[in-house]
Each structure stands twice: as C-alpha cells, then as structure tokens.
Amino acid sequence: MNRTLGSWSLAAVALFGSFVAQAQDESDAPASKGRHLVQIGVFHVDTLDSSTPLRSHIQPGALAALGVQSDFTSDTTNKVGSSNTLALIYSYFLTDNLAIKFEGGIPAEFKLYGSGVVQPTGPLGSAVAVDLGSPDFNPLAKVTQWSPAILLQYYFRDAQEKIRPYVGVGATYTWFTDIKADEDFKNALNTRFGATLAAGNGKLGQSTTVDAAAADDLAPIFNMGVSAELSDRWSLSGSVSYTLLKTTANITIDAEDGTRLATSRTKLDLNPLVVAFVLGYRFDL
C-alpha cells in the first residue's frame, strides 16, 4: 500500500512538474509578430436592410393609347433573410499587435422576400398587377453571395496575454451568383406582364422570359471582437462585423426575339451584421 502510494506521489509530482514546464514554455512563447493564424468556424449573417420602391420601365407599344405609361413606381418593399455559413480565415501578424486578415468561406445563400403590388398605370393596370407579397411567390428569389474580405486588425494588450480584444477595418468586394427567381413568381410575370406587353408591341403569341440580376459592390467593413488563448497554438475568437453593403436588383422581361419589354429595379441597402465564432491555430513558417 505504501509503495503504491509512493508511486502515485512520484507520478503526481512528475505530472505537476510537466504542467509547470509547459506553462513556462508557453509563457516564454515567442511574440505574435511573424506568426500565422488560421481559423475555422461559423458566420451568422443578419441583414439590417432597407429598399427603395420598385421602379419600372416598360415598352407599352399600342397599350399607350389605353393610358399605360412607360415609367411607373410601385409601392413595394424587399427584405433579405438571415444566413449561416462556414468561415475560413487567415491572418498574418505584422507586429505583436497588428495583423492583416483575409476572410472567406463557403458563400452564403440568402432568400429575398417582397411585399406590395406591382401595377402599371391605366385601366389595364389591375388586370396585369402582380402581388409581391403573395405567399405563393415568397421567397421571391434565392441568391448566393460571395464576399471575400481583407482587414487590418489591432490587438490590444501584450502578445502573451490570454485574453486580447481587437478592432479592425477593411473592405469586401461582393458579387452575386445563382440567382433563382421563384417559378410561380416568374410565371405570373410572364403570363400577366410579359404576354400583355408582347401583344401591345406586335409580338402576339411570342413567349417571354424573366431574368434577375444584382450589382456588385465594394464596401467597407468595421470589426470588433475578442480572442481567448487556449495554448500557445490554439485559440477561440468571437467577433461582430458591420458592412455598408449596397446593391441594385434588376428584373427584366424579354420577348422571344430578344426585345426588352420591361425592366424593374430596386436599390437594396443590405448592411449585413456578421457574428463569427471561430477556432484558431497559430504557427510559424
């Protein structure tokens, strides 16, 4: 019994000694300058969005005689839903307190929702009106957003501190792909707007097509967060970023022969608020 107790005591002393040695090694760890940091985690994106009313320009053709004007504005609004996606981040420490960061990951998918009625002027207006808020049409569209970003970050406190707040500023270039309008929404635009405008322009019986697009944008990013060191290599970080992101969304209707029958656009202030939680690994090359 005493021999066993003595063995456990020696093992405990040795284990304690190893923890002390590890702590000393970590406390003497090199400063952050020149080190690389890779992080993986989750982005949660909420858009603090607003939109302008939908403005439309159409080719009324013979319908102009019935009071259908070529330009009109509809009392509509659009809203973008939230999204979650994988975050991939790389940082390089220029000094103990200053780092340059590149953010990427899997592009986020967003859903666009609408409300209000698109209705041309004149007696035919109500006949071809489309309700953007109809449950059959929403979400109106789905879109994939690409937003790679570069930021310059300042870390407060000494490099050996376990908890380090930071702030950052940078920019992102954003573009949109895989824009898919709801099929019921597209069908309503084709059968009401498209067919009527085609007939008014001497293209009776021609099919029409609906396309959607969104403009690219270069936008500033403001970031703040805190990093908690788990060891010399591993860390956890949580942050919040705000981006002044804007885009213009366009919906077009074309006749079968390529004639542009209608263009509708709205300006969207997306202004995404991004919350990130990431696990990081720091290394030297």
Side-chain angles (χ1 to χ4, degrees):
M1 178 70 70
N2 290 338
R3 182 177 300 176
T4 302
L5 181 59
S7 299
W8 277 106
S9 299
L10 290 174
V13 170
L15 184 61
F16 178 78
S18 67
F19 282 139
V20 172
Q22 182 181 4
Q24 290 175 342
D25 288 342
E26 291 190 359
S27 65
D28 294 334
S32 293
K33 179 181 178 181
R35 301 189 98 183
H36 306 262
L37 175 66
V38 291
Q39 295 170 300
I40 185 171
V42 176
F43 285 142
H44 174 75
V45 186
D46 277 312
T47 55
L48 308 179
D49 55 331
S50 61
S51 67
T52 60
L54 196 68
R55 299 186 63 181
S56 301
H57 175 79
I58 63 176
Q59 300 292 342
L63 301 179
L66 299 176
V68 177
Q69 298 178 357
S70 59
D71 293 282
F72 63 94
T73 300
S74 303
D75 185 16
T76 60
T77 58
N78 295 99
K79 185 171 181 59
V80 179
S82 61
S83 182
N84 297 302
T85 191
L86 178 72
L88 297 174
I89 301 170
Y90 165 77
S91 301
Y92 176 75
F93 282 82
L94 304 171
T95 70
D96 287 356
N97 300 93
L98 200 62
I100 185 169
K101 180 169 77 169
F102 301 91
E103 288 187 349
I106 295 179
E109 183 180 87
F110 292 93
K111 296 179 180 179
L112 177 67
Y113 299 86
S115 63
V117 178
V118 181
Q119 180 173 322
T121 58
L124 283 180
S126 58
V128 300
V130 175
D131 183 6
L132 297 188
S134 170
D136 294 334
F137 301 157
N138 279 274
L140 296 177
K142 296 179 181 179
V143 59
T144 299
Q145 176 182 312
W146 301 72
S147 297
I150 180 171
L151 298 97
L152 189 64
Q153 290 190 301
Y154 182 81
Y155 283 75
F156 298 95
R157 309 181 73 184
D158 293 335
Q160 283 77 19
E161 296 288 343
K162 299 298 183 184
I163 304 295
R164 301 186 72 189
Y166 57 83
V167 295
V169 63
T172 177
Y173 184 78
T174 299
W175 68 95
F176 304 90
T177 62
D178 299 326
I179 302 175
K180 298 177 181 178
D182 176 79
E183 288 299 323
D184 290 332
F185 177 52
K186 289 172 61 176
N187 290 337
L189 290 178
N190 280 320
T191 57
R192 297 178 192 176
F193 267 91
T196 304
L197 291 176
N201 285 272
K203 304 178 189 302
L204 185 64
Q206 284 196 21
S207 62
T208 60
T209 57
V210 175
D211 288 308
D216 302 351
D217 190 33
L218 178 64
I221 299 177
F222 305 94
N223 171 253
M224 63 184 298
V226 61
S227 176
E229 300 300 319
L230 304 178
S231 70
D232 179 45
R233 300 289 182 183
W234 294 93
S235 63
L236 285 175
S237 180
S239 68
V240 177
S241 299
Y242 179 69
T243 306
L244 295 173
L245 179 62
K246 301 179 181 181
T247 188
T248 299
N250 293 279
I251 298 176
T252 58
I253 302 177
D254 294 331
E256 190 175 339
D257 63 2
T259 301
R260 179 62 47 86
L261 298 175
T263 300
S264 298
R265 62 172 48 91
T266 179
K267 293 182 179 179
L268 293 166
D269 290 338
L270 299 175
N271 300 335
L273 187 69
V274 182
V275 178
F277 293 99
V278 293
L279 175 67
Y281 180 78
R282 188 182 292 107
F283 62 95
D284 306 288
L285 291 180

